[in-house]
Amino acid sequence: MIGRKSTGHPSPLVLVLLALGFFFATYNLITLALSYKASWAGDELNTLDADTGVGSSDLKYHVALTATDAPYSQWQSRIMYYWYKKVKDMPGSDMGKFTRILHSGKPDKLMEEIPSFVVDPLPEGLDRGYIVLNRPWAFVQWLEKATIDEEYILMAEPDHIFVNPLPNLAHGSNPAGYPFFYIKPAEHEKILRKFYPKEMGPVTNIDPIGNSPVIIRRSLLEDISPVWLNVSLKMKDDPETDKAFGWVLEMYAYAVASALNGVRHTLRKDFMLQPPWDLEVGKKFIIHYTYGCDYSLKGELTYGKIGEWRFDKRSYLSGPPPRNLSLPPPGVPESVVRLVKMVNEATANIPGWDTLTSG
């Protein structure tokens, strides 16, 4: 288990960020962007090992996910950690240690089951109901206080399942990310120029990604994270941006923060798959079960309408899904079948699955 690390007096960085949290209306984004200007542009960004095609340093990455103590987050985290342990030492895996960054501000019942590090949530009311604003603040605190052995970090989420052993997809100082079809910087140039000024370059420098899944060198993330926090708060405080980006606002904030630091990501479509839209697992590495899977008993997708057979994580907001979920009917894509089978395997083997229902 990873606990709190005593650091004595808070560092100047943390004090500044706390001040920003309380008085975010007064901070200056451009000043912050310039103070975190790209220091990795040029030769280092493309330094690869000639034989392996990857950076020459240790390739192990630390798996880190942000989570709360809500039952909805807990049961997903338990399944995610189960499959991490299953694939960690398989051939082809570069996985190192694992941390659940718990941003509820206090320990919960999973501290002994899952390696966890407790950090504080944003000051009350600052997230305005958009809880993922706590994600960049959680990473800032964890990176500042924790002892992390690995040189690289995988930013993951509770609703990720490792379906194949995941190598380090990052190349030296060039991180790897998954391209989301709905992150479209070029279509939002007017809005993004509020946070990414013209002198920084074209908006196409902003990658079509979120923070997760991303494998990134730790030193890069240490510099991106405070900018990510700052941009997230600034975007949330701007009504036009908040309305345009909605639930993906924090994803845009990470992409902008990376661009402000001169960091570009290698876009890997094989990083993950998202049922029911991706039909086969193949050689992809992570199942992301964010979408509901609704089907008729004939195996026909009824997305947007509750199906005769369904699996939707949002059906289990107040407690975990039961063990031994029914398998999809014939004709349902292999990706959905695989997802349900993997959920069933995890729930069958995790002790106390039916009893741990609250923080």
Side-chain angles (χ1 to χ4, degrees):
M1 178 179 71
I2 301 176
R4 290 181 181 269
K5 179 183 174 186
S6 176
T7 58
H9 296 292
S11 72
L13 173 61
V14 172
L15 291 176
V16 169
L17 287 168
L18 281 173
L20 289 173
F22 285 109
F23 305 107
F24 62 94
T26 64
Y27 57 75
N28 189 312
L29 176 65
I30 304 305
T31 299
L32 182 60
L34 293 176
S35 70
Y36 284 94
K37 63 184 178 179
S39 59
W40 309 278
D43 293 339
E44 183 182 356
L45 186 63
N46 297 305
T47 300
L48 304 181
D49 184 282
D51 296 323
T52 64
V54 296
S56 60
S57 59
D58 183 6
L59 292 180
K60 290 291 184 182
Y61 58 83
H62 195 107
V63 180
L65 70 150
T66 54
T68 73
D69 61 1
Y72 179 66
S73 181
Q74 286 182 329
W75 69 256
Q76 293 175 52
S77 297
R78 299 179 85 191
I79 292 173
M80 197 266 202
Y81 184 58
Y82 172 87
W83 284 104
Y84 156 81
K85 291 188 293 182
K86 288 275 288 189
V87 305
K88 177 181 182 294
D89 297 321
M90 288 183 177
S93 168
D94 286 321
M95 289 180 174
K97 296 179 181 178
F98 184 104
T99 299
R100 180 184 62 134
I101 308 172
L102 182 64
H103 56 75
S104 300
K106 62 184 185 301
D108 68 357
K109 293 180 180 179
L110 294 180
M111 300 299 290
E112 298 298 329
E113 179 179 331
I114 303 175
S116 301
F117 191 96
V118 179
V119 298
D120 294 323
L122 288 167
E124 185 175 358
L126 192 58
D127 66 21
R128 280 165 287 179
Y130 183 53
I131 196 169
V132 293
L133 276 186
N134 286 281
R135 185 174 293 154
W137 177 222
F139 271 107
V140 167
Q141 294 174 82
W142 178 63
L143 291 165
E144 178 75 17
K145 298 178 182 179
T147 299
I148 306 166
D149 295 330
E150 297 84 356
E151 185 179 353
Y152 291 86
I153 292 168
L154 164 64
M155 292 187 284
E157 297 180 18
D159 61 352
H160 286 177
I161 292 178
F162 295 107
V163 70
N164 282 311
L166 177 59
N168 187 341
L169 303 177
H171 292 165
S173 294
N174 192 13
Y178 176 80
F180 289 91
F181 71 90
Y182 48 79
I183 302 296
K184 300 177 179 179
E187 295 185 8
H188 296 283
E189 180 167 5
K190 178 177 177 292
I191 290 175
L192 290 173
R193 283 304 183 194
K194 299 180 181 182
F195 315 99
Y196 189 74
K198 288 185 178 180
E199 56 265 30
M200 298 297 293
V203 292
T204 51
N205 288 346
I206 301 172
D207 293 324
I209 59 171
N211 83 290
S212 176
V214 162
I215 300 177
I216 185 170
R217 180 169 277 172
R218 187 177 71 244
S219 59
L220 290 179
L221 187 58
E222 287 171 348
D223 287 281
I224 290 172
S225 291
V227 187
W228 175 22
L229 171 63
N230 194 20
V231 175
S232 295
L233 293 171
K234 189 73 172 177
M235 284 183 170
K236 189 64 179 175
D237 192 42
D238 183 77
E240 181 185 22
T241 306
D242 190 23
K243 180 179 179 180
F245 292 163
W247 64 276
V248 298
L249 180 149
E250 169 268 338
M251 297 173 68
Y252 270 103
Y254 174 80
V256 169
S258 298
L260 288 170
N261 279 271
V263 175
R264 300 301 303 271
H265 296 67
T266 300
L267 304 180
R268 296 290 300 252
K269 291 184 178 180
D270 60 343
F271 211 150
M272 73 179 187
L273 66 146
Q274 302 185 97
W277 311 116
D278 296 306
L279 306 182
E280 297 180 352
V281 172
K283 295 182 179 180
K284 295 181 180 180
F285 301 108
I286 294 172
I287 292 179
H288 181 211
Y289 55 99
T290 189
Y291 296 104
C293 299
D294 288 275
Y295 291 88
S296 71
L297 294 182
K298 296 180 180 179
E300 300 166 335
L301 181 66
T302 62
Y303 191 78
K305 177 182 177 182
I306 294 178
E308 296 172 284
W309 180 94
R310 77 179 329 229
F311 175 74
D312 187 339
K313 66 178 185 177
R314 296 165 189 82
S315 300
Y316 309 103
L317 295 175
S318 59
R323 287 175 163 149
N324 196 28
L325 294 169
S326 64
L327 293 179
V332 170
E334 181 257 353
S335 62
V336 179
V337 177
R338 185 80 170 272
L339 167 61
V340 177
K341 286 182 176 179
M342 294 184 80
V343 168
N344 281 345
E345 178 180 331
T347 61
N349 289 283
I350 296 174
W353 177 256
D354 297 316
T355 58
L356 187 72
T357 59
S358 66

